[in-house]
Amino acid sequence: MTLPRSSTAQSKQLASRSQTQRLPLALGLAAFLAINSVYMVKRNKVFLSGVTTENIEPKHKNVCKDINSLLDISQWPEIVFFKDRLPGNSNDEEGDALGRSTVTEFNKMRNAVLTSALVDEGISEGGMHAAQSFAKRVLESGFKEARPLSIAVTGNSFTIGSNCGENMRQPSDECAWPSRLARRWTEVVTRSLGNATDTNTKIEWRMLQENAQGSNNVAHRLPSLIDEYHSENKTLDVIILNNGLSDNMEKPWLEAIVRVLLEQFPQILIISLIDGVPDNVGSLDEYQQNIQPERVRKTIMTQEHYNLTRVDFARMSQFLSYSEEERYASLRRQYPGSSLLWPQLGQMEFDNGTILTEEIAGPRPNGLEIYWARYKPQVAKTKSAYYPTNHPPWTTHQYVADTVLFTLIRVLRTGMGCADSINAHEVVTHPSLPEATAADEAEVDRCFVCLEPRERLDARTLESIVNGTGFDDLSVRESPVVVTCGDWSWVTDERKRSGWQSDQAGSLIRFRLKVNEEPTISLTYMASHASFGDFQVTFQPISKDNASMQPLMGCNDVAKFENQTLFPSKKLEGRRSKYSLWDTFVFPGKVDSNDHITNELMRKTLKKMQELSDIEYVDMYIKNVNYFGDRKRVKIQTITSC
C-alpha cells in the first residue's frame, strides 16, 4: 500500500531532500525576504509586490520601535462592557449593572495579574523560521495588492465560549477568547502599527472551533482547509490550536496534525495552547518536584519536538498559586484562597461564599446569582454549561486573548530582529520536518490524516438517512446511509453535536463507502461519561456489478455479530470516565494495527476484496450493542475512506 502524504514515511522523504540553511543576519531583512519568496533580482534590488530594499529598511526601523512599545501590557486599553461597545444600546437591562461592575473590577486587577513576567513564564516563542516568516508577512501585507494575514483558530467548547458572557445577552462566540483576540489585535496592533506604518491592518480570521472538537476532529477538517488555501494560491500564516481539553492523549493526534500542517504550509506559525485547568496545573508537591501532569508532559513533548510556539496557562497558574516569588506571594496575600487567572475549584458559590453542593448548568438558581467559587474578580454565571473549570468566566477568556496577542507581538519582534532573542544572530530558511516523531512512530502513523479521501460521510453536512427496515429496493440499497434495523436517526443538539444516533440495542445502520484496493477507514464517534455505550463494526466489500443487487443486512442478521469466526467485527467503547467528547478509531488498510481483533477484521475484509472482482464499495455496518443497561446510546459523526 502506498502511504498517504501525511504519513511519517513520506515525511522522511521530504526531510531528506530539505536541509536547514542558515545565513548571517548581516545579509539584512531584504535578503531574508528574497530567500523566502519568489523574486526578481535587478541591479541589486529585491522586488516583491512592489517591495524594494529602499522601502523595507526605514519601515523595519519604524516597526521595531512600535513593537517594543506594544509589549507593555499595562498600556493596553481597558476592557469596555460589551453593550457599551455597541451603538444604540443605551437601555439598561437586568444584569447590566452587575456586568459593568465586574468589568470595572477586572480592569483594576488586570495589570497586577497579567504581567509581562507572568507571561514570560508561560510562553515559548518557538522556531526562528516561523517567526521570520510571520514577520515577513506582516511587512509584506502592508503593501498595495498584498493579501491580509490569515489566522485560523481550532478549539472546543471552551474556545466557542461555553459559560462565557459579561451578561446574559452577550453571545457566547462574541465573548470567547478568539473574538476577544480579534478585537485586541485591532485595538493594540492595528491602531499602532497600522497607523504609523504601512504594515498589516487586516487579518482573515478563520474560526474553526466547535463543541467537543479534539485534534482527531481537526484531522478530518484539514483536507478541505488545505484544498481551500492551495486552490486560491494562498498559504495559512498562523494556526492556533486549542483542542487539549478534548484530546484523547493515548493517541498522538496532535502530533499527526502538526506534521500535516508543517508539510502543507512550511512557513506556518503554529501556536499550541495548554489550558490552565486544575488537572493540568497539578498540586503544590508536583510543582515543587517539577513533575508535569501526563497530559501536559505529552503536549510539551510534541511542542518542543517541532519547535512550536507554546502558550502554557497551566504553568502561569502554577506560578500564581505556588511560586514563592514576592510578586506572586503578594497577590495571594491580597486575594487569599482565590485563583486569579483560571478557576481552580470546579464549583460555584453564592454571593455570601456558600459553595453549591450540586453542579447546576444554568444561571441564577431560584433567582439567586451564583459565581465561580474562590475566584477573583467575582464573576456571575450568565450561561448554561457544566464544568466551571473547563468552561471558565469571560475574565479568563480575556486573559487568554491578551496572552496570545502578547505572544504574537513577541514572535513578531523576534522575527524582525528587533531585539536580541533566541537564535537572533542568524536567518533560517527551509526547515526540514523532523525525521523522527515525538511519540512512537507506529502510533503516529495510526493517527491517519487522509488528505485525499475517496469518501467522507459527515453528519454535520449530510443530514439524510433512509429507513430501509421495511424496504430493500434499488433506491434504498444505493443510499449512502441506511437504517436496516431499529431506531437509528440523524440528530443534533443545542451545541451542534450532529450525528447518526441509536438508543435501542440491536439496531443496525449501514454506511456505503467508495474505496480503493487497500482502504483505510476512520470512524469518529461520541464517547461519554453518561448514557453512551458500546457498538460493533463490520465490513462487507461490494463489487461494482453487485452494488445495486447486494441485499441489506437486517434484524435477522443481528445475531451474526456474535460469531467472530464467520462474521468478524470490532467492538468499540463509547464509555469514558468524564465529559462527552468525540473519539476516532482507524481501521488501517495495511494490517499494522496494535489490536489483534482489528487486524483480523481488516485481514479478512481485504482477503474478500481480493477474491471478488472490481471492488468499488465497502459497506460498513454498525450495531448498537448495549451491554451496560442504561448505557445504550451510540452516536456516529464522521466516516472517511482513504
Side-chain angles (χ1 to χ4, degrees), residues 172-184 207 209 401:
S172 294
D173 58 349
E174 203 263 356
C175 177
W177 73 256
S179 294
R180 292 177 181 272
L181 173 62
R183 288 195 297 272
R184 274 306 215 195
M207 302 303 187
Q209 60 269 34

Side-chain angles (χ1 to χ4, degrees), residues 341-352:
L341 180 72
W342 201 297
Q344 296 299 301
L345 185 62
Q347 294 174 284
M348 308 296 289
E349 65 183 14
F350 291 106
D351 188 39
N352 63 4

Side-chain angles (χ1 to χ4, degrees), residues 42 139 176 246 388 501 519 604:
K42 194 173 185 179
L139 289 179
S246 301
Q501 181 171 295
K604 292 181 178 181

Side-chain angles (χ1 to χ4, degrees), residues 121-152:
E121 298 293 346
I123 69 173
S124 173
E125 293 181 24
M128 176 59 76
H129 179 265
Q132 291 174 336
S133 298
F134 179 58
K136 174 181 75 71
R137 283 287 293 120
V138 171
L139 289 179
E140 173 189 311
S141 297
F143 289 93
K144 188 177 180 179
E145 299 180 356
R147 64 177 178 83
L149 285 164
S150 56
I151 300 180

